[in-house]
Structures are given as structure tokens and as C-alpha cells.
Amino acid sequence: MDIFRELTRGIKFDKNNKIKCSDKSSKKPSELKYILSGKKRKNENTEEKGEKRPKDDYVTDEEVEKIKKQIAQLKESITGEETAEEVKDYEDRYKALINKKTEVVALMRKKFKIKVEGDRVPPPLDSFEKIQNLLKLDVSIMRRIQDQIKFKRPTPIQMQAIPIIAKKRDLIALAETGSGKSLSFILPLLCKVNPDVEGVQAIVLAPTRELLIQLYKQFMVFNPHPKKLKVKFLRRKLIPKDQTEVDHFVNNCKILLSTPLRLESVLKELDLKFETVRHIVVDEADAMFDMAFLPQVDKIIKHCTNPSLQKSYFSATMQPVIEEMLRENMSDPVKIICGLKNATAGSVEQKLVYCGSEEGKMYALRNIFREGFTPPMLIFVQNKQRSMELYKELIVEGISCNIIHGDRIKEQRDEVVMKFRTGKISLLICTDLMSRGIDFLNVNYVVNYDFPQSIVSYIHRVGRTGRAGNQGTALTLYTDSDIEYLRSIANLMKKSGCDVKPWMLELKNPGRKKWKELEKNPKKHMKRETISTDIKKNTNKKFMKVIKDFSKKCKKYNSKFADKPIKSKAPAKEEEEELSDDVLEELDEISDEEEREQLRKEMQGGMNEIPDYVDDSEDDNSI
Ligand SMILES: Nc1ncnc2c1ncn2[C@@H]1O[C@H](COP(=O)(O)OP(=O)(O)OP(=O)(O)O)[C@@H](O)[C@H]1O
């Protein structure tokens, strides 16, 4: 009877036990009153100015569930024909509500270009308040998001991925580059991991050290209890040496970030217990399963023996064969696609520039400088050797730039990334090492100096610009020998709304096989020295003037804004690991509010206020 009272509080019954209530009645049970009337509660979050939200989208799953239960219980408790009619009336309205809710969810997904595959997919949440309610987000996280970093609303991938992860579902999430995938797993992990429980509870795998450092910083920016909820980035210095250290490490780390290679090598040597791991997130998942990482990722996942292990895979690109492989070890997964699948971001204006032969590329690059562009710029080349050649070429021409590739020592890589982030380097020559996941918010220009080796590489390279709602430009230089691959790139460009010359779309389709061959056997390029002499002979006076202006602006910037240049003394080989670990050691203890503030600034795009041309110093040019 008590349950009956509770459920029927506010309802009056007439002498026949019939519920006396009408639509307008304030005496309906409180849940029913709001939901069935379609009115908003006073404390309901108000929608953003100027944005219309679909009507009724504030009806949460929990509310619908509650009504369902109430109706069932009412049915059990009340008898009599007329009452049954009343209950039926509620049921009809409930059905209508569910239909409406389904419709609203569908509309919302359409509006934000979210596609889902899977059963019982939770609805997207289009505000951080709703995410806060669902995840029980710590107020400090909300303050950071809204007041400090000033994210207005979740991005589509966050809207949809967060509730899925919160509902403990396995997930394959595909969303275009720069669309905020990282926060989609960072927020739920920070909320779901219990700082008071011992042991590693979540593992995040990513393919490069640069990407892991970036993720690590993001975790630290949002971490509500940095001292208790320890996030560790596994690097050589942190690797435990004996079992006592292993136990200490495992007990002190709640979220572990690592490359698959490093973690697997540790697992081979030491007995790291991962039964406590409940979440595993693989960022840039297709790269991890496509490259040599597959056996390592597999071993790590097998080592996490908790039966309720939840797996989430994120990427901007995914080949069907990899997806199939992932699905084999997932239980009842949900797949999300935000925007177009395997496509470049619509925020990037993409152009193709014909250069004839290798020599032409340098002319084309000069043209870009002459016509003017807004740095920072990333220039992608095929490999380390190519990057060195171009670097020398530009330095000889008096153009300040720097260089990053896998063979540079970690300390140098860290320094270059840091300087590029803070605007001390404006032109960075890089290999595909930097094409995945790296978030330089303000990159305005990407130049594919060497044609990409794969369509996936094109998508990720181009995705270094036009991020988080910003616009960007990507220019791909092509020579006669690249024409056979042109159609695929032209198609991608067309798909994301860029202008493409019709003849490019009529070229023969290279097909997957040809691309695969190219990936396996990269093109051999002419040696740069040969080109250099040739180009120098033709040096154009106008271009030299542009270069001079460029350097002047750089100098002006340096004297006005830049801090003292950091001398990049190349460390001795044996110091290499130590030095880079020192850099990271500082990061590890980021619990200090001031340092976190610094990280937040970086995340907000610290380069916003930097004038047109920024420069590194002469010291920075030393490799
Ligand atoms: N809700 C949001 N509103 C505005 N900006 C956001 C939001 N969420 C994340 N960002 C910003 O968007 C940028 C890109 O985010 P992130 O690096 O997670 O993209 P990504 O989808 O992982 O890209 P990639 O595929 O290249 O790895 C970051 O600078 C991040 O701070």
C-alpha cells in the first residue's frame, strides 16, 4: 500500500476509485505532470541563444523509464473498469511520448550528422549540462569546460560517444579530423575511474609519443583530483624494475597511457596485473591495427582479463577489413559515424597544384610564399631524407623553419612540438609522424610537398588544419608521376565540397591495389642538391624580396614577443632517454593549478594573439 501511496501522491480518487485528473491538473504525479504536459521545469537548462532545440528533447531516458514503471505499478495496484481506461490513456500518451522522443533523437542525429549502427543506442546529449547530469561530472570539470576553455557545446562525436561509453557499451567511433574525439573518451574515463580503488582501471593506447603527450596534457587539464586520480604516461623512466616497483606502479596509476610497443614490452618482462582494467581506448585505431602494432595491441587486450572490459576505438578513418577485425572481439558494439566516413574535414579548403616535375615543387612553394599565406604552416614530405633536403633548401634561401621526423631524438621532438605550439616556429617540415592526431589548433596551412602515400595519409595530413571549427587551407603539389593517383584525391576533395577540375575526376581510377603498392614501395625522388642548383640559377628577385620581408617580420616578432630562444643543444646519445624523461617528469606531477592554467592556455590555442609571422631563432635551426 505504501508504494501505491507514493506512486499516486497528488492524484485524487473519486468514490469509484477512479483517478480524478485532467491534462491541466496540477495533481498528477510530478514526473507525469511535466513529461505529459510538454512544459519545461523551472530549473531546466535554457537553450543557447538563437538556437532552436527540438521540442521535448529534455525528456530524459530516466524520466521515460520512471513513467513506464509507474504505469506498470498503477496497473497492478488499481482495479476497476474506469481506472483501467485512465491507465490506458496514460499508456497511449506514453507511447506517443516514446514515438516523439524517437523522432526527436532522429532529428537531432540528422541535424548533427550523426549516424549510428547497433541496438539500443543511447540518445545524443547536446549540451554539457546534460553530459554533466549523466556522468555526474565534477563541478571543477564543468568550470574548466565552460568558463576557462569556453567550449560552448559538445561536438557531435562527444554528444553521441559520451552516453555510449557511459552506458558501458563497446564502441567504434569515426569522426572527422579535429572534431574533438579525444574529449569524448577523456571525460567519461575521468568520471568512471574510481580514485579510491587500487589498480589500473583504464588504458589508452595511441601510436605516437607526441599524441600521447598531448592526450596526457588534456587528461591533466580536466582531471578533478590530479593527486588521487593518477594518470601516467608510460615511458622508460617509469617502467618498474622489480615486483615491488610493479605493485607500487600499478597501485598508483589509475589511467595508463602508452604506445602499444612500450606497454607490450613491459608486459613481456614484468607481471603487471590488469584484472582491474575496465576500459581500454585505442586512439587512431586503424593505424594501430594496420601497422606493425597489431600483435602488441592484441596482447595488451588479452592481458586485460576483466570480463566487463569495455573497448572503444576512435579514428577519423577506418578500412572495412580493420573494422571487421575489431568487431570480432567486441560485444554488442555500437558504431558511430559523425560527418562523412573516411573523408576530409569540410572546414579545409583543398587545392591541387601541378608542378610538372620535382624542380617545379620548389617554384610552387616559392609561389605560396610570394602570394602570401598566414602561418603557421606544416609541410609534409615523404621521409626523413626528404625533410632534411627541403630543410636545407629553405634555410639556404633564408626561410626560417624547423623539422620533425621519427629519427630525431625525443628531446628534440618534444622541443620542436612545444615551440610550434607556442608560435616560436612558424614553418614546420614533417613526415607522417605528425599526421595522426596531433592538435595544433592554429595551423592555417598544410602543404603536401610530397604526394601522400595513401588516401588515409592524405586525410590525416590535411586534417592538421581546419580543426575545432577553424578554417584552413591544404595544398597538394603533384608532378607528372603523381597523376595516376590523382583521381582518388580529387574525389575526396569533391566529397567534402571543394572545387575540382572535371578532368581529374575522369582519370583512371588507381584502385586499392595500386595505392597499396605505392604504400609498400614509396616513390624514389630526385636528390635535392641537383634541384637546388638549378633553382638557384633561376632565383627570382621578387621572391627574394618576399623572403626578406618574411625574415624582417620574424625578427620584429622575436624582439617584440618572443621569450629568450631556447638553445637546442643536442644531447649525447646516452643522455637521450634521460633528457626526454626529464621533460616528461615535470608533466607527471602537474597538479599545480598554475601549471594546469598554462596547459589550458595551450588548449585554447595559445597562438591566437601571435602576429602574422613568427619565427624561431638561428639556434633553433640547428638539427
Ligand atoms: N566541445 C568542443 N568545442 C570546441 N572545441 C573543442 C571541443 N572539444 C574539443 N575541442 C577542441 O578541438 C580540437 C581538436 O580536438 P581533438 O584533438 O580531440 O580532435 P580529433 O577528433 O581527435 O582529431 P584527429 O582525428 O586529428 O585526432 C582540440 O583543440 C580541442 O581542444
Side-chain angles (χ1 to χ4, degrees):
M1 200 59 188
D2 281 343
I3 294 177
F4 177 75
R5 270 209 197 97
E6 186 61 33
L7 284 168
T8 53
R9 198 187 305 146
I11 302 179
K12 280 199 174 165
F13 295 89
D14 62 17
K15 53 183 178 209
N16 297 324
N17 233 2
K18 184 182 169 190
I19 302 171
K20 282 209 293 190
C21 64
S22 68
D23 278 359
K24 288 176 209 152
S25 167
S26 60
K27 285 150 190 160
K28 285 179 216 164
S30 53
E31 292 303 328
L32 292 177
K33 178 180 133 192
Y34 284 105
I35 293 163
L36 296 179
S37 68
K39 282 181 197 157
K40 268 189 170 189
R41 286 192 178 85
K42 267 189 191 153
N43 63 354
E44 201 76 53
N45 296 315
T46 46
E47 62 201 56
E48 277 175 41
K49 262 189 192 164
E51 274 183 284
K52 276 191 186 156
R53 288 201 308 184
K55 221 176 148 196
D56 286 344
D57 74 333
Y58 62 93
V59 181
T60 65
D61 274 354
E62 284 70 24
E63 284 172 316
V64 172
E65 274 308 308
K66 255 188 194 170
I67 299 178
K68 209 164 128 187
K69 259 194 209 153
Q70 283 180 335
I71 292 174
Q73 283 169 322
L74 271 172
K75 254 184 178 173
E76 274 176 22
S77 321
I78 311 165
T79 49
E81 215 172 278
E82 285 170 82
T83 314
E85 256 172 46
E86 200 71 40
V87 172
K88 189 178 174 305
D89 186 37
Y90 274 110
E91 275 179 343
D92 289 347
R93 292 194 213 176
Y94 168 76
K95 272 182 206 151
L97 188 77
I98 295 287
N99 287 343
K100 192 150 201 173
K101 192 169 164 60
T102 314
E103 204 180 300
V104 166
V105 167
L107 276 174
M108 233 163 112
R109 288 203 178 116
K110 198 169 170 202
K111 179 176 166 189
F112 295 110
K113 299 196 173 85
I114 302 170
K115 283 189 211 117
V116 293
E117 288 170 23
D119 294 332
R120 298 164 287 106
V121 183
L125 302 176
D126 65 349
S127 72
F128 280 114
E129 285 79 10
K130 288 179 190 173
I131 290 177
Q132 182 185 29
N133 286 342
L134 178 76
L135 295 178
K136 309 278 174 285
L137 274 187
D138 194 280
V139 277
S140 68
I141 300 188
M142 280 304 277
R143 223 180 305 128
R144 237 152 253 163
I145 291 176
Q146 295 184 316
D147 303 340
Q148 291 163 342
I149 299 174
K150 297 195 170 33
F151 289 165
K152 282 193 189 132
R153 67 185 317 160
T155 61
I157 186 69
Q158 292 161 2
M159 289 180 193
Q160 187 60 86
I162 291 175
I164 292 172
I165 300 179
K167 295 271 176 202
K168 300 187 180 163
R169 299 286 298 275
D170 280 0
L171 171 68
I172 298 176
L174 305 181
E176 54 191 31
T177 50
S179 58
K181 290 188 284 295
S182 319
L183 207 59
S184 310
F185 57 83
I186 289 175
L187 290 184
L189 288 191
L190 284 175
C191 298
K192 297 199 129 226
V193 164
N194 185 344
D196 299 320
V197 169
E198 281 194 346
V200 179
Q201 291 166 54
I203 295 176
V204 178
L205 299 174
T208 63
R209 167 190 166 80
E210 281 70 19
L211 182 50
L212 283 165
I213 295 178
Q214 183 180 295
L215 287 172
Y216 175 83
K217 286 181 176 183
Q218 283 183 310
F219 268 107
M220 294 318 284
V221 165
F222 294 105
N223 193 346
H225 314 290
K227 288 204 168 127
K228 269 170 82 187
L229 206 166
K230 285 272 183 199
V231 182
K232 297 226 180 242
F233 166 34
L234 190 66
R235 52 194 194 279
R236 190 186 282 194
K237 206 170 182 178
L238 282 190
I239 296 176
K241 289 172 192 65
D242 52 40
Q243 202 53 44
T244 330
E245 278 190 32
V246 167
D247 296 341
H248 181 77
F249 177 83
V250 169
N251 289 341
N252 271 297
C253 171
K254 308 291 176 228
I255 301 177
L256 180 64
L257 316 185
S258 178
T259 59
L261 279 173
R262 176 136 296 179
L263 185 52
E264 196 252 351
S265 71
V266 174
L267 291 178
K268 259 197 258 170
E269 304 285 321
L270 297 161
D271 184 21
L272 251 68
K273 299 261 183 309
F274 279 170
E275 299 92 59
T276 42
V277 176
R278 285 171 174 273
H279 311 264
I280 185 150
V281 175
V282 184
D283 199 8
E284 306 295 341
D286 58 334
M288 305 281 261
F289 284 85
D290 198 23
M291 302 190 325
F293 292 129
L294 176 61
Q296 286 85 25
V297 180
D298 206 39
K299 271 190 198 157
I300 295 164
I301 294 180
K302 283 197 179 114
H303 202 80
C304 302
T305 48
N306 194 308
S308 53
L309 179 73
Q310 187 186 354
K311 300 169 195 121
S312 312
Y313 299 103
F314 284 83
S315 188
T317 48
M318 180 78 69
Q319 296 91 317
V321 47
I322 293 178
E323 191 184 321
E324 236 171 74
M325 217 154 63
L326 297 183
R327 280 180 181 274
E328 273 174 25
N329 291 314
M330 297 177 94
S331 81
D332 191 18
V334 176
K335 179 182 171 188
I336 319 172
I337 302 169
C338 290
L340 292 170
K341 191 179 163 187
N342 291 334
T344 46
S347 49
V348 186
E349 191 193 347
Q350 299 161 59
K351 293 174 192 162
L352 286 160
V353 178
Y354 177 60
C355 304
S357 58
E358 273 300 310
E359 288 92 331
K361 287 188 181 176
M362 195 60 199
Y363 290 109
L365 202 56
R366 289 169 168 202
N367 256 337
I368 300 169
F369 295 147
R370 185 166 44 223
E371 281 166 12
F373 69 97
T374 318
M377 177 194 269
L378 277 176
I379 305 177
F380 280 98
V381 290
Q382 189 174 303
N383 51 33
K384 174 192 151 196
Q385 190 201 335
R386 296 282 292 163
S387 66
M388 297 288 281
E389 287 168 3
L390 182 60
Y391 173 76
K392 282 183 201 157
E393 192 82 39
L394 292 179
I395 290 299
V396 168
E397 303 270 9
I399 299 170
S400 288
C401 58
N402 216 308
I403 187 172
I404 190 163
H405 52 69
D407 285 355
R408 288 200 84 178
I409 57 169
K410 287 172 194 145
E411 193 254 356
Q412 287 174 323
R413 273 161 59 176
D414 291 346
E415 192 178 309
V416 168
V417 168
M418 193 261 288
K419 285 187 173 178
F420 194 67
R421 268 190 206 292
T422 51
K424 287 176 185 154
I425 294 171
S426 57
L427 236 75
L428 184 60
I429 304 168
C430 51
T431 58
D432 276 336
L433 170 83
M434 301 300 281
S435 71
R436 286 258 184 184
I438 293 293
D439 181 50
F440 294 126
L441 203 55
N442 294 59
V443 169
N444 284 308
Y445 227 99
V446 164
V447 174
N448 285 320
Y449 189 81
D450 287 338
F451 207 73
Q453 298 295 118
S454 69
I455 298 173
V456 168
S457 153
Y458 178 81
I459 294 172
H460 287 276
R461 282 179 177 190
V462 162
R464 292 320 96 201
T465 184
R467 298 174 71 77
N470 294 329
Q471 291 296 310
T473 306
L475 222 130
T476 302
L477 311 184
Y478 69 96
T479 63
D480 287 329
S481 65
D482 298 318
I483 290 183
E484 54 185 324
Y485 303 97
L486 207 58
R487 183 174 135 160
S488 313
I489 303 294
N491 264 330
L492 269 182
M493 288 169 58
K494 191 171 167 243
K495 208 166 143 188
S496 52
C498 299
D499 284 340
V500 178
K501 299 207 171 87
W503 66 265
M504 293 182 177
L505 300 168
E506 279 159 26
L507 288 166
K508 191 172 169 241
N509 186 353
R512 209 172 280 176
K513 209 169 151 201
K514 208 156 175 60
W515 276 107
K516 276 269 167 242
E517 273 166 26
L518 180 69
E519 218 175 341
K520 269 194 203 150
N521 307 305
K523 243 196 251 169
K524 294 208 169 36
H525 293 270
M526 210 198 292
K527 271 225 155 178
R528 182 126 312 273
E529 284 85 0
T530 349
I531 305 158
S532 182
T533 5
D534 200 33
I535 281 177
K536 262 177 246 149
K537 261 192 244 158
N538 296 309
T539 301
N540 158 338
K541 278 186 188 160
K542 205 172 163 192
F543 174 70
M544 283 314 281
K545 189 179 170 304
V546 176
I547 300 301
K548 266 192 184 165
D549 289 350
F550 181 86
S551 304
K552 259 193 218 160
K553 282 189 184 175
C554 295
K555 279 204 184 104
K556 206 167 126 198
Y557 167 77
N558 268 344
S559 56
K560 202 170 165 190
F561 297 93
D563 303 332
K564 277 186 191 160
I566 301 168
K567 298 231 186 278
S568 65
K569 175 179 150 275
K573 255 281 171 251
E574 61 275 16
E575 284 174 20
E576 184 183 319
E577 274 293 342
E578 277 308 301
L579 274 168
S580 46
D581 278 346
D582 282 348
V583 175
L584 281 161
E585 196 163 8
E586 287 166 26
L587 285 174
D588 222 24
E589 297 309 321
I590 301 174
S591 49
D592 180 80
E593 206 33 50
E594 209 173 287
E595 286 174 75
R596 295 194 329 140
E597 181 58 34
Q598 186 58 36
L599 291 180
R600 275 197 287 276
K601 278 191 188 141
E602 266 184 40
M603 279 197 67
Q604 276 170 295
M607 300 199 285
N608 273 337
E609 284 131 37
I610 289 166
D612 264 9
Y613 289 93
V614 287
D615 181 35
D616 49 350
S617 68
E618 269 171 29
D619 290 317
D620 303 329
N621 293 331
S622 60
I623 310 175

mmCIF file of all heavy atoms in Angstrom, residues 380-405:
data_model
loop_
_atom_site.group_PDB
_atom_site.id
_atom_site.type_symbol
_atom_site.label_atom_id
_atom_site.label_comp_id
_atom_site.label_asym_id
_atom_site.label_seq_id
_atom_site.Cartn_x
_atom_site.Cartn_y
_atom_site.Cartn_z
ATOM 1 N N PHE A 380 54.371 18.681 -45.369
ATOM 2 C CA PHE A 380 54.569 17.233 -45.279
ATOM 3 C C PHE A 380 55.448 16.719 -46.409
ATOM 4 O O PHE A 380 55.240 17.062 -47.575
ATOM 5 C CB PHE A 380 53.228 16.497 -45.330
ATOM 6 C CG PHE A 380 52.515 16.510 -44.012
ATOM 7 C CD1 PHE A 380 51.515 17.437 -43.758
ATOM 8 C CD2 PHE A 380 52.857 15.614 -43.013
ATOM 9 C CE1 PHE A 380 50.867 17.468 -42.536
ATOM 10 C CE2 PHE A 380 52.219 15.631 -41.779
ATOM 11 C CZ PHE A 380 51.220 16.558 -41.541
ATOM 12 N N VAL A 381 56.435 15.917 -46.036
ATOM 13 C CA VAL A 381 57.287 15.258 -47.030
ATOM 14 C C VAL A 381 57.264 13.756 -46.778
ATOM 15 O O VAL A 381 56.750 13.300 -45.758
ATOM 16 C CB VAL A 381 58.741 15.782 -46.966
ATOM 17 C CG1 VAL A 381 58.840 17.210 -47.467
ATOM 18 C CG2 VAL A 381 59.290 15.644 -45.569
ATOM 19 N N GLN A 382 57.867 13.027 -47.738
ATOM 20 C CA GLN A 382 57.712 11.570 -47.692
ATOM 21 C C GLN A 382 58.493 10.882 -46.574
ATOM 22 O O GLN A 382 58.024 9.939 -45.966
ATOM 23 C CB GLN A 382 58.131 11.006 -49.035
ATOM 24 C CG GLN A 382 57.816 9.548 -49.196
ATOM 25 C CD GLN A 382 58.129 9.111 -50.599
ATOM 26 O OE1 GLN A 382 57.604 9.671 -51.547
ATOM 27 N NE2 GLN A 382 59.006 8.142 -50.733
ATOM 28 N N ASN A 383 59.711 11.340 -46.349
ATOM 29 C CA ASN A 383 60.516 10.653 -45.332
ATOM 30 C C ASN A 383 61.566 11.596 -44.758
ATOM 31 O O ASN A 383 61.653 12.767 -45.142
ATOM 32 C CB ASN A 383 61.190 9.403 -45.911
ATOM 33 C CG ASN A 383 61.940 9.732 -47.186
ATOM 34 O OD1 ASN A 383 62.477 10.847 -47.331
ATOM 35 N ND2 ASN A 383 61.967 8.818 -48.129
ATOM 36 N N LYS A 384 62.345 11.042 -43.867
ATOM 37 C CA LYS A 384 63.345 11.820 -43.149
ATOM 38 C C LYS A 384 64.312 12.504 -44.126
ATOM 39 O O LYS A 384 64.604 13.691 -44.019
ATOM 40 C CB LYS A 384 64.104 10.866 -42.226
ATOM 41 C CG LYS A 384 65.254 11.452 -41.517
ATOM 42 C CD LYS A 384 66.067 10.343 -40.896
ATOM 43 C CE LYS A 384 67.515 10.772 -40.809
ATOM 44 N NZ LYS A 384 68.429 9.671 -40.572
ATOM 45 N N GLN A 385 64.773 11.724 -45.118
ATOM 46 C CA GLN A 385 65.748 12.278 -46.054
ATOM 47 C C GLN A 385 65.169 13.475 -46.810
ATOM 48 O O GLN A 385 65.795 14.513 -46.951
ATOM 49 C CB GLN A 385 66.173 11.187 -47.030
ATOM 50 C CG GLN A 385 67.344 11.588 -47.896
ATOM 51 C CD GLN A 385 67.407 10.737 -49.158
ATOM 52 O OE1 GLN A 385 66.908 9.612 -49.165
ATOM 53 N NE2 GLN A 385 67.993 11.273 -50.200
ATOM 54 N N ARG A 386 63.944 13.324 -47.238
ATOM 55 C CA ARG A 386 63.275 14.410 -47.963
ATOM 56 C C ARG A 386 63.130 15.633 -47.060
ATOM 57 O O ARG A 386 63.260 16.760 -47.499
ATOM 58 C CB ARG A 386 61.887 13.973 -48.413
ATOM 59 C CG ARG A 386 61.871 12.859 -49.398
ATOM 60 C CD ARG A 386 62.192 13.307 -50.786
ATOM 61 N NE ARG A 386 61.169 14.150 -51.355
ATOM 62 C CZ ARG A 386 61.364 14.914 -52.421
ATOM 63 N NH1 ARG A 386 62.538 14.928 -53.021
ATOM 64 N NH2 ARG A 386 60.397 15.664 -52.885
ATOM 65 N N SER A 387 62.856 15.390 -45.792
ATOM 66 C CA SER A 387 62.661 16.533 -44.897
ATOM 67 C C SER A 387 63.969 17.285 -44.720
ATOM 68 O O SER A 387 64.001 18.513 -44.699
ATOM 69 C CB SER A 387 62.094 16.081 -43.551
ATOM 70 O OG SER A 387 63.028 15.301 -42.870
ATOM 71 N N MET A 388 65.070 16.541 -44.621
ATOM 72 C CA MET A 388 66.383 17.175 -44.469
ATOM 73 C C MET A 388 66.716 17.998 -45.709
ATOM 74 O O MET A 388 67.212 19.115 -45.620
ATOM 75 C CB MET A 388 67.471 16.117 -44.272
ATOM 76 C CG MET A 388 67.312 15.288 -43.032
ATOM 77 S SD MET A 388 67.689 16.216 -41.578
ATOM 78 C CE MET A 388 69.461 16.155 -41.637
ATOM 79 N N GLU A 389 66.420 17.427 -46.864
ATOM 80 C CA GLU A 389 66.738 18.135 -48.113
ATOM 81 C C GLU A 389 65.963 19.444 -48.204
ATOM 82 O O GLU A 389 66.515 20.493 -48.504
ATOM 83 C CB GLU A 389 66.388 17.238 -49.312
ATOM 84 C CG GLU A 389 67.359 16.093 -49.496
ATOM 85 C CD GLU A 389 66.856 15.047 -50.493
ATOM 86 O OE1 GLU A 389 65.767 15.236 -51.081
ATOM 87 O OE2 GLU A 389 67.560 14.052 -50.672
ATOM 88 N N LEU A 390 64.683 19.357 -47.932
ATOM 89 C CA LEU A 390 63.870 20.576 -48.046
ATOM 90 C C LEU A 390 64.281 21.598 -46.991
ATOM 91 O O LEU A 390 64.337 22.803 -47.251
ATOM 92 C CB LEU A 390 62.379 20.227 -47.903
ATOM 93 C CG LEU A 390 61.428 21.404 -48.040
ATOM 94 C CD1 LEU A 390 61.549 22.076 -49.404
ATOM 95 C CD2 LEU A 390 59.977 20.972 -47.824
ATOM 96 N N TYR A 391 64.581 21.094 -45.816
ATOM 97 C CA TYR A 391 65.000 21.973 -44.730
ATOM 98 C C TYR A 391 66.232 22.783 -45.147
ATOM 99 O O TYR A 391 66.268 24.013 -45.039
ATOM 100 C CB TYR A 391 65.293 21.128 -43.490
ATOM 101 C CG TYR A 391 65.894 21.902 -42.341
ATOM 102 C CD1 TYR A 391 65.112 22.733 -41.560
ATOM 103 C CD2 TYR A 391 67.253 21.789 -42.046
ATOM 104 C CE1 TYR A 391 65.660 23.441 -40.506
ATOM 105 C CE2 TYR A 391 67.811 22.489 -40.993
ATOM 106 C CZ TYR A 391 67.008 23.312 -40.232
ATOM 107 O OH TYR A 391 67.557 24.013 -39.196
ATOM 108 N N LYS A 392 67.226 22.059 -45.683
ATOM 109 C CA LYS A 392 68.459 22.738 -46.101
ATOM 110 C C LYS A 392 68.138 23.770 -47.169
ATOM 111 O O LYS A 392 68.638 24.887 -47.148
ATOM 112 C CB LYS A 392 69.461 21.716 -46.649
ATOM 113 C CG LYS A 392 70.171 20.956 -45.559
ATOM 114 C CD LYS A 392 71.193 20.012 -46.182
ATOM 115 C CE LYS A 392 71.547 18.895 -45.232
ATOM 116 N NZ LYS A 392 72.065 17.733 -45.927
ATOM 117 N N GLU A 393 67.310 23.367 -48.102
ATOM 118 C CA GLU A 393 66.919 24.243 -49.204
ATOM 119 C C GLU A 393 66.319 25.552 -48.685
ATOM 120 O O GLU A 393 66.695 26.636 -49.088
ATOM 121 C CB GLU A 393 65.881 23.511 -50.046
ATOM 122 C CG GLU A 393 65.585 24.148 -51.369
ATOM 123 C CD GLU A 393 66.630 23.768 -52.402
ATOM 124 O OE1 GLU A 393 67.081 22.611 -52.413
ATOM 125 O OE2 GLU A 393 66.993 24.657 -53.161
ATOM 126 N N LEU A 394 65.403 25.424 -47.752
ATOM 127 C CA LEU A 394 64.717 26.611 -47.240
ATOM 128 C C LEU A 394 65.660 27.475 -46.418
ATOM 129 O O LEU A 394 65.632 28.704 -46.498
ATOM 130 C CB LEU A 394 63.495 26.215 -46.406
ATOM 131 C CG LEU A 394 62.350 25.581 -47.191
ATOM 132 C CD1 LEU A 394 61.199 25.202 -46.266
ATOM 133 C CD2 LEU A 394 61.821 26.517 -48.275
ATOM 134 N N ILE A 395 66.514 26.824 -45.650
ATOM 135 C CA ILE A 395 67.449 27.581 -44.829
ATOM 136 C C ILE A 395 68.394 28.366 -45.730
ATOM 137 O O ILE A 395 68.667 29.549 -45.503
ATOM 138 C CB ILE A 395 68.224 26.636 -43.878
ATOM 139 C CG1 ILE A 395 67.275 26.098 -42.798
ATOM 140 C CG2 ILE A 395 69.432 27.314 -43.238
ATOM 141 C CD1 ILE A 395 66.650 27.155 -41.910
ATOM 142 N N VAL A 396 68.879 27.710 -46.813
ATOM 143 C CA VAL A 396 69.766 28.392 -47.762
ATOM 144 C C VAL A 396 69.056 29.609 -48.349
ATOM 145 O O VAL A 396 69.630 30.668 -48.546
ATOM 146 C CB VAL A 396 70.203 27.413 -48.883
ATOM 147 C CG1 VAL A 396 70.870 28.142 -50.032
ATOM 148 C CG2 VAL A 396 71.147 26.370 -48.312
ATOM 149 N N GLU A 397 67.780 29.471 -48.573
ATOM 150 C CA GLU A 397 67.007 30.575 -49.144
ATOM 151 C C GLU A 397 66.687 31.635 -48.079
ATOM 152 O O GLU A 397 66.027 32.622 -48.361
ATOM 153 C CB GLU A 397 65.683 30.048 -49.725
ATOM 154 C CG GLU A 397 65.839 28.973 -50.763
ATOM 155 C CD GLU A 397 65.957 29.509 -52.171
ATOM 156 O OE1 GLU A 397 66.094 30.732 -52.335
ATOM 157 O OE2 GLU A 397 65.910 28.701 -53.099
ATOM 158 N N GLY A 398 67.051 31.385 -46.846
ATOM 159 C CA GLY A 398 66.822 32.364 -45.781
ATOM 160 C C GLY A 398 65.461 32.239 -45.123
ATOM 161 O O GLY A 398 64.978 33.177 -44.506
ATOM 162 N N ILE A 399 64.830 31.113 -45.293
ATOM 163 C CA ILE A 399 63.496 30.938 -44.693
ATOM 164 C C ILE A 399 63.618 30.164 -43.384
ATOM 165 O O ILE A 399 64.132 29.044 -43.361
ATOM 166 C CB ILE A 399 62.559 30.191 -45.668
ATOM 167 C CG1 ILE A 399 62.401 31.009 -46.952
ATOM 168 C CG2 ILE A 399 61.190 29.947 -45.028
ATOM 169 C CD1 ILE A 399 61.709 30.278 -48.060
ATOM 170 N N SER A 400 63.150 30.775 -42.322
ATOM 171 C CA SER A 400 63.223 30.114 -41.016
ATOM 172 C C SER A 400 62.228 28.972 -40.945
ATOM 173 O O SER A 400 61.054 29.158 -41.268
ATOM 174 C CB SER A 400 62.843 31.095 -39.915
ATOM 175 O OG SER A 400 63.862 32.003 -39.762
ATOM 176 N N CYS A 401 62.713 27.841 -40.542
ATOM 177 C CA CYS A 401 61.795 26.708 -40.408
ATOM 178 C C CYS A 401 62.424 25.691 -39.470
ATOM 179 O O CYS A 401 63.553 25.874 -39.021
ATOM 180 C CB CYS A 401 61.513 26.069 -41.766
ATOM 181 S SG CYS A 401 62.982 25.492 -42.599
ATOM 182 N N ASN A 402 61.697 24.675 -39.162
ATOM 183 C CA ASN A 402 62.258 23.585 -38.373
ATOM 184 C C ASN A 402 61.747 22.259 -38.913
ATOM 185 O O ASN A 402 60.988 22.235 -39.879
ATOM 186 C CB ASN A 402 61.932 23.757 -36.887
ATOM 187 C CG ASN A 402 63.078 23.298 -36.020
ATOM 188 O OD1 ASN A 402 63.573 22.187 -36.174
ATOM 189 N ND2 ASN A 402 63.533 24.168 -35.120
ATOM 190 N N ILE A 403 62.140 21.200 -38.263
ATOM 191 C CA ILE A 403 61.952 19.894 -38.874
ATOM 192 C C ILE A 403 61.621 18.863 -37.798
ATOM 193 O O ILE A 403 62.144 18.932 -36.694
ATOM 194 C CB ILE A 403 63.277 19.562 -39.606
ATOM 195 C CG1 ILE A 403 63.185 18.322 -40.420
ATOM 196 C CG2 ILE A 403 64.411 19.446 -38.670
ATOM 197 C CD1 ILE A 403 64.459 18.168 -41.269
ATOM 198 N N ILE A 404 60.730 17.945 -38.118
ATOM 199 C CA ILE A 404 60.467 16.862 -37.163
ATOM 200 C C ILE A 404 60.228 15.559 -37.927
ATOM 201 O O ILE A 404 59.541 15.535 -38.932
ATOM 202 C CB ILE A 404 59.273 17.191 -36.224
ATOM 203 C CG1 ILE A 404 59.182 16.179 -35.087
ATOM 204 C CG2 ILE A 404 57.948 17.270 -36.963
ATOM 205 C CD1 ILE A 404 58.343 16.638 -33.928
ATOM 206 N N HIS A 405 60.873 14.506 -37.463
ATOM 207 C CA HIS A 405 60.645 13.177 -38.021
ATOM 208 C C HIS A 405 61.038 12.153 -36.967
ATOM 209 O O HIS A 405 61.648 12.497 -35.938
ATOM 210 C CB HIS A 405 61.441 12.976 -39.325
ATOM 211 C CG HIS A 405 62.898 13.295 -39.201
ATOM 212 N ND1 HIS A 405 63.740 12.519 -38.468
ATOM 213 C CD2 HIS A 405 63.632 14.329 -39.686
ATOM 214 C CE1 HIS A 405 64.957 13.053 -38.513
ATOM 215 N NE2 HIS A 405 64.913 14.158 -39.239
#
